[in-house]
Amino acid sequence: MGVIGILKMIGSKAVSDLQGARIHITGVVQGVGFRPFVYGLATRLGITGWVRNTSAGVKIEVDGSLEALTAFINALQQEAPPLAQIDEFHVQKCAPNGFSTFEIFHSETIADAFQPISPDVSLCSDCWRELLDPEDRRYRYPFINCTNCGPRFTIIKDIPYDRPSTTMAPFIMCPDCASEYGDPLDRRFHAQPVACPVCGPQIWLEVDGDRLAEREQALQTARQLLQEGRILAVKGLGGFHLACDATNPEAVATLRRRKLRVDKPFALMMPDLATVETHCYLQPAERSALEARQRPIVILDRRPESSVVREVASGQDTMGVMLPYTPLHVLLIEPEPGFPQALVMTSGNLSEEPIAIENEEARKRLSDLADAFLMHDRCIHTRCDDAVMRIFDGAAYPLRRSRGYAPYPVHLPWENPPLLAVGAELKNTFCITRGRYAFLSHHIGDLENYETLCSFEEGIAHFERLFRMRPEILAYDLHPDYLATRYALKRAERENLTAIGVQHHHAHVAACMAEHGLDGEQPVIGVSFDGTGYGDDGTIWGGEFLVANYRDYERPFHLAYIPMAGGEAAVRQPWRLALAWLERADLEWDENLPPVLASSAKVRHIVRRQLELGLNSPLTSSMGRLFDAISALVGVRQRINYEAQAAIELEARVDPDEAAAYQFAISEDEVDPIPVIHAIVADLRAGLDIGRISAQFHNGVADMVDQVCCLIGKRYGLEEVALSGGVWQNMILLTRVVQRLHKSGFAVYLHRQVPTNDGGLALGQAVVAAHRLAFSLQTSTHSLKSKADS
């Protein structure tokens, strides 16, 4: 509200007359220094009254002159602390109360009220400076923080966000910390995790359950172990990491062997941007992303001369890098002659399990993986993996939305019922909606074991408690075997809730639409490419062209079906998919072709019989599986050790100078790769370089997407395209498709807030279910009215 609005609200009394106002603010306004900001502002402007946190936001009641109140209300909105995010700002005129001072009142709990919660925030520059200042009382203290940085989401148990409701409750503040905590003009006023070496959490080093060192000695011993090539389990902000020297081949190989992580890339931590630039190429937007307060892992192009072991990201020309985001990380990776320039900093778990967060849990689960443990005694309430992103076209393109971002909401342009969307099987996140907020959870992971399912259920219970929400509707994926789907259906039956199934690829497109705030009145062309999604016809979809709004969709085109010989075995062994395409293209299984050489004659005979009889060979229209098949066909990857490995390594082989493209056959409703298969086999026999073949395939897919979108656009009169699904993590394909679509005159929507992979699926499930419910209620109301009129 500006000056004119204030004048209208308060009236036309003389400027010098005392006026009163009540202000209510919602958004991320707790745990971000908002109350001390209000206090300082009121003091500066000579305003009296009070401010307090509530479960519903921040309440302010003030007295002052019209001029002072106008300046106060404008400044509240224009000068808010950097971590604050104001969503709603309400001002109400009231009689002046005759306040003589300005005070900060204790927090107030309001039944059923809720508010957004700040994500965890990386170490701020002020605390970083104090951490390394020998004259500061928190010199080299691994838990230094203030209202502008430090843990939030991972330590909070309940709202309002006050120290007793966090895992810092057991640490009683010393007089110095209490003084800072209670001083409204101090940077640490009501910083709930505030602590110092006298009264706060401490670190220690353990080997085989015995404490070998504490505090600074523990840190230095840990650094020495890393230099020696040992594996270190480090308790961080949202869980344990496993760390080792990323330039030491033996250390990296040992970590892979122990963690049972054969090829999947490891994340890296480097101490500063200068170091990152010695190992990776950096664009300005990538530099900004690395330094952002969220401190995500950013996927960067690797420099050929980098000393980081190639096995950190086998078969790839990129590396995932983050900067230190806690004071403990800053101290652990502090540059020093002889100390590694880069550390592997991967999740503290055995492959596919949730990360460990509790000390005793880590001792049990990580003892066979780590040589030593760098522990601390501040509890982690919510496990939270590191976020991962790429930069596309100068802006963030999220691949995993977690620490630093969750549980910050996606804002929707409509009111939503209390709803829980449970997400997918892989890269699971869930989403709850309330009002105009969609709270997408932190990364849960792949729901393939009991431990991750427990983490999923615990996360849902925590969100429902934090946001004071009991769902009335559950949204779920149509796949009957997904653990998330089973959870939703069982809970719906147990609690008598409405359950709404949402088709996988419709949810992908809807998620992209929702994060851009589209109202859904006009459908979009949704190009949803991924590996697996249960189709309406009972087959496995994944190469889909949809015409979709939030409630419904049509499927005018899709990739041609192919049988997956062996079912899930074909996902793990892409040579099976390549043989299936050769069979469908009426091409011989020539023993000079790489996928034929990948298996024995006996196994190939079984596969052929499966294809002929349709035994254990579900049909798929998946674009992800086509990429896998081409990777196997050209000899890049016959067996995979992690999701999308074959496609990722095929992308890495693209010759950037190759402009030619393979041509797909496009019929009335189907896109057939048979001409592509024939052309690739011919080029293989002619000895064409794999890089050129890979490039022509990528170019061909891009041309095909543009052609099909043009056909749909003309048929339906549409000019907007939404790209969603895991295949769009392929940057080469994404770049070439977007260029072509723009040239054809389309507006293109990409994911910018939630992942394009299944990590963003729950948002789409939520908005589809909400719109279907609203339509159902409207239809029922109209039907009842018609009956009453008759």
Side-chain angles (χ1 to χ4, degrees):
M1 182 178 292
V3 175
I4 294 175
I6 303 300
L7 287 168
K8 289 180 177 178
M9 175 198 79
I10 296 177
S12 57
K13 294 185 178 182
V15 170
S16 59
D17 287 352
L18 196 65
Q19 312 292 319
R22 294 190 182 99
I23 303 168
H24 184 242
I25 305 171
T26 65
V28 180
V29 288
Q30 294 188 22
V32 294
F34 202 84
R35 286 178 300 168
F37 157 69
V38 174
Y39 180 94
L41 188 61
T43 302
R44 187 179 88 205
L45 295 173
I47 285 174
T48 57
W50 53 264
V51 59
R52 78 175 349 143
N53 281 345
T54 77
S55 304
V58 169
K59 289 173 65 175
I60 304 169
E61 189 160 340
V62 287
D63 291 348
S65 68
L66 176 59
E67 182 180 20
L69 288 180
T70 300
F72 179 71
I73 291 170
N74 282 336
L76 284 174
Q77 299 169 85
Q78 297 168 9
E79 302 174 19
L83 301 184
Q85 176 67 49
I86 295 175
D87 294 332
E88 294 184 3
F89 193 99
H90 299 285
V91 182
Q92 179 184 5
K93 175 184 175 181
C94 67
N97 282 279
F99 300 119
S100 59
T101 61
F102 193 89
E103 300 180 66
I104 297 176
F105 285 176
H106 288 296
S107 298
E108 176 187 8
T109 300
I110 300 174
D112 297 325
F114 78 105
Q115 58 170 335
I117 292 168
S118 171
D120 300 299
V121 184
S122 64
L123 188 68
C124 71
S125 58
D126 289 330
C127 286
W128 197 311
R129 184 183 64 254
E130 293 170 350
L131 177 70
L132 302 179
D133 180 1
E135 302 301 317
D136 194 276
R137 73 185 189 91
R138 293 185 176 87
Y139 175 57
R140 301 188 69 77
Y141 179 56
F143 302 95
I144 187 172
N145 66 86
C146 69
T147 54
N148 297 321
C149 67
R152 299 290 192 276
F153 174 59
T154 53
I155 65 169
I156 187 171
K157 295 180 177 180
D158 207 346
I159 57 172
Y161 176 63
D162 288 320
R163 193 177 181 103
S165 296
T166 73
T167 60
M168 283 299 294
F171 298 96
I172 307 303
M173 285 181 281
C174 67
D176 287 339
C177 285
S179 176
E180 294 169 329
Y181 183 89
D183 181 356
L185 299 181
D186 193 280
R187 198 175 87 248
R188 293 187 169 89
F189 174 73
H190 277 230
Q192 306 307 335
V194 68
C196 74
V198 174
C199 64
Q202 300 295 342
I203 61 170
W204 67 88
L205 188 80
E206 280 188 19
V207 176
D208 296 329
D210 297 326
R211 286 199 188 195
L212 299 189
E214 298 181 351
R215 302 197 181 203
E216 184 66 22
Q217 185 183 355
L219 181 71
Q220 295 306 324
T221 306
R223 285 169 56 85
Q224 182 62 38
L225 290 172
L226 289 169
Q227 282 183 270
E228 294 172 359
R230 306 292 184 87
I231 312 298
L232 190 67
V234 182
K235 188 176 183 181
L237 192 63
F240 277 80
H241 283 115
L242 291 169
C244 74
D245 179 358
T247 64
N248 183 326
E250 186 176 344
V252 173
T254 299
L255 180 55
R256 284 208 175 279
R257 185 175 64 254
R258 292 181 185 177
K259 191 174 162 66
L260 304 180
R261 190 163 175 165
V262 180
D263 292 313
K264 191 175 182 179
F266 285 138
L268 299 173
M269 182 175 283
M270 299 182 187
D272 48 44
L273 281 177
T275 305
V276 176
E277 202 141 25
T278 65
H279 296 277
C280 303
Y281 298 104
L282 268 185
Q283 300 299 321
E286 294 167 336
R287 183 184 299 268
S288 297
L290 285 166
E291 289 190 303
R293 64 174 181 257
Q294 295 90 352
R295 286 291 197 277
I297 298 168
V298 182
I299 309 299
L300 304 171
D301 290 332
R302 177 191 176 113
R303 290 184 182 270
E305 66 271 20
S306 170
S307 60
V308 170
V309 175
R310 277 283 177 184
E311 286 70 24
V312 162
S314 301
Q316 299 188 35
D317 52 9
T318 58
M319 297 191 292
V321 182
M322 59 182 158
L323 295 178
Y325 54 87
T326 72
L328 179 58
H329 291 138
V330 171
L331 298 173
L332 183 65
I333 201 171
E334 193 172 22
E336 184 181 62
F339 191 78
Q341 286 192 335
L343 295 179
V344 168
M345 199 67 78
T346 188
S347 53
N349 57 1
L350 199 61
S351 185
E352 307 310 330
E353 291 183 354
I355 55 173
I357 60 173
E358 297 176 0
N359 293 345
E360 189 56 37
E361 173 194 12
R363 292 183 185 106
K364 292 178 180 177
R365 290 174 51 198
L366 306 182
S367 59
D368 291 335
L369 282 66
D371 298 307
F373 292 78
L374 188 58
M375 301 279 213
H376 63 72
D377 55 355
R378 185 179 69 198
C379 291
I380 299 168
H381 188 71
T382 302
R383 57 173 46 89
C384 206
D385 292 79
D386 297 312
V388 184
M389 74 162 53
R390 296 201 74 148
I391 298 300
F392 179 77
D393 199 21
Y397 191 66
L399 305 182
R400 183 166 74 196
R401 186 181 186 270
S402 203
R403 176 194 49 77
Y405 298 90
Y408 190 75
V410 175
H411 296 268
L412 301 175
W414 57 78
E415 293 289 324
N416 292 274
L419 185 152
L420 166 65
V422 297
E425 186 84 348
L426 302 180
K427 297 180 174 64
N428 178 269
T429 61
F430 59 84
C431 180
I432 67 171
T433 62
R434 187 170 178 187
R436 295 196 170 200
Y437 292 123
F439 295 100
L440 193 68
S441 79
H442 50 296
H443 172 77
I444 303 297
D446 297 348
L447 296 182
E448 296 180 336
N449 54 57
Y450 176 74
E451 292 80 8
T452 310
L453 179 62
C454 289
S455 178
F456 166 78
E457 293 179 349
E458 290 165 2
I460 289 174
H462 187 47
F463 268 57
E464 291 180 8
R465 180 170 58 253
L466 284 182
F467 300 114
R468 303 295 191 262
M469 195 280 281
R470 182 185 179 278
E472 297 173 0
I473 303 100
L474 299 178
Y476 61 91
D477 191 274
L478 295 178
H479 199 301
D481 294 330
Y482 281 2
L483 293 181
T485 295
R486 293 179 179 179
Y487 165 88
L489 294 175
K490 287 181 181 178
R491 183 173 177 184
E493 182 179 6
R494 183 175 67 248
E495 301 180 17
N496 195 28
L497 304 174
T498 299
I500 299 176
V502 180
Q503 200 282 323
H504 190 92
H505 302 94
H506 185 201
H508 268 307
V509 175
C512 188
M513 294 170 64
E515 68 165 83
H516 286 279
L518 303 187
D519 60 18
E521 292 297 318
Q522 175 78 355
V524 302
I525 302 169
V527 186
S528 186
F529 288 173
D530 64 3
T532 300
Y534 196 81
D536 288 339
D537 58 3
T539 63
I540 300 169
W541 292 4
E544 312 309 313
F545 292 87
L546 308 180
V547 172
N549 57 25
Y550 290 118
R551 182 167 54 87
D552 291 313
Y553 70 92
E554 295 181 40
R555 188 193 186 207
F557 286 90
H558 61 83
L559 195 66
Y561 288 109
I562 195 74
M564 297 171 57
E568 279 299 310
V571 178
R572 298 188 298 271
Q573 301 168 17
W575 61 265
R576 293 171 177 264
L577 297 165
L579 294 186
W581 278 113
L582 290 172
E583 178 82 4
R584 191 171 179 277
D586 293 324
L587 291 168
E588 291 296 323
W589 289 2
D590 189 329
E591 292 195 2
N592 292 323
L593 292 174
V596 179
L597 292 171
S599 60
S600 67
K602 181 179 179 180
V603 173
R604 289 199 301 273
H605 175 72
I606 295 172
V607 169
R608 190 181 293 277
R609 291 294 290 164
Q610 286 181 310
L611 294 174
E612 290 172 349
L613 301 174
L615 293 174
N616 191 24
S617 299
L619 294 176
T620 182
S621 63
S622 166
M623 180 60 74
R625 297 290 83 85
L626 178 62
F627 267 83
D628 291 346
I630 301 304
S631 181
L633 182 59
V634 302
V636 172
R637 173 62 62 173
Q638 305 299 334
R639 292 170 175 81
I640 67 168
N641 298 300
Y642 63 90
E643 184 189 12
Q645 182 181 11
I648 290 169
E649 293 182 4
L650 180 67
E651 179 190 6
R653 300 293 290 271
V654 166
D655 181 344
D657 298 321
E658 178 61 58
Y662 297 125
Q663 298 299 312
F664 287 75
I666 302 172
S667 66
E668 186 65 23
D669 62 356
E670 188 176 81
V671 175
D672 197 338
I674 292 301
V676 175
I677 303 299
H678 278 278
I680 289 176
V681 171
D683 282 343
L684 282 172
R685 288 171 174 161
L688 193 67
D689 179 73
I690 290 176
R692 294 184 62 190
I693 295 175
S694 177
Q696 290 191 47
F697 175 68
H698 280 76
N699 293 340
V701 174
D703 286 347
M704 176 271 291
V705 170
D706 181 46
Q707 291 164 15
V708 174
C709 285
C710 287
L711 290 171
I712 297 172
K714 185 176 181 180
R715 184 185 302 177
Y716 290 85
L718 301 176
E719 299 178 343
E720 296 176 309
V721 177
L723 305 179
S724 188
V727 168
W728 298 113
Q729 294 172 117
N730 183 318
M731 291 294 103
I732 290 175
L733 180 66
L734 182 67
T735 299
R736 296 178 184 186
V737 165
V738 169
Q739 288 172 346
R740 286 161 171 76
L741 290 174
H742 280 158
K743 189 174 180 180
S744 295
F746 288 103
V748 182
Y749 297 106
L750 309 175
H751 286 279
R752 296 300 190 184
Q753 296 187 60
V754 305
T756 190
N757 56 48
D758 282 2
L761 197 77
L763 173 63
Q765 291 174 343
V767 296
V768 169
H771 279 75
R772 286 185 180 168
L773 180 72
F775 179 77
S776 175
L777 292 174
Q778 290 170 4
T779 303
S780 298
T781 301
H782 178 74
S783 177
L784 288 172
K785 186 177 184 300
S786 298
K787 289 180 180 179
D789 291 343
S790 63

